[in-house]
Amino acid sequence: MSAQPDHTPAAPYAPAPGAPAELLAQLRADRRAERWAPAFEREWAAALEESRRTFSLNTLYEVVHVWQARLVSAPAVDAFTASGHDEAGFVDMAELRGRRRR
């Protein structure tokens, strides 16, 4: 009998080493650069501190994944907003993330 678990958790997808720099360049080229680039830089800095404290890259990976998803979904969000649909009933995801980390 082994002391090892029956299964190993799936490792999170690891972005390429240059992914954060490429992502920041894309954010700076986006029309939302004034808001998004500083927000990414703040989240990246916080993730670096977390990584140093925990010796884990998971928070860094998460920041890259979240911002990649934002960039990919931005055209759909823009189209939805331009369509004039009421978004008043939607959940504020930033607020939910803030609650989850506490």
Side-chain angles (χ1 to χ4, degrees), residues 4 14 18-21 32 37 40-42 51 53 58 72-73 84 86-87 91 95 97-98 100:
Q4 299 297 320
R32 302 164 190 83
F40 172 78
E41 290 170 336
R42 281 190 304 272
S51 179
R53 190 177 58 74
N58 289 340
V72 168
S73 63
D86 179 18
E87 57 184 274
V91 176
E95 182 180 330
R97 279 192 295 276
R100 183 176 58 182

Side-chain angles (χ1 to χ4, degrees), residues 50 77 84 94:
E50 176 76 10
V77 172

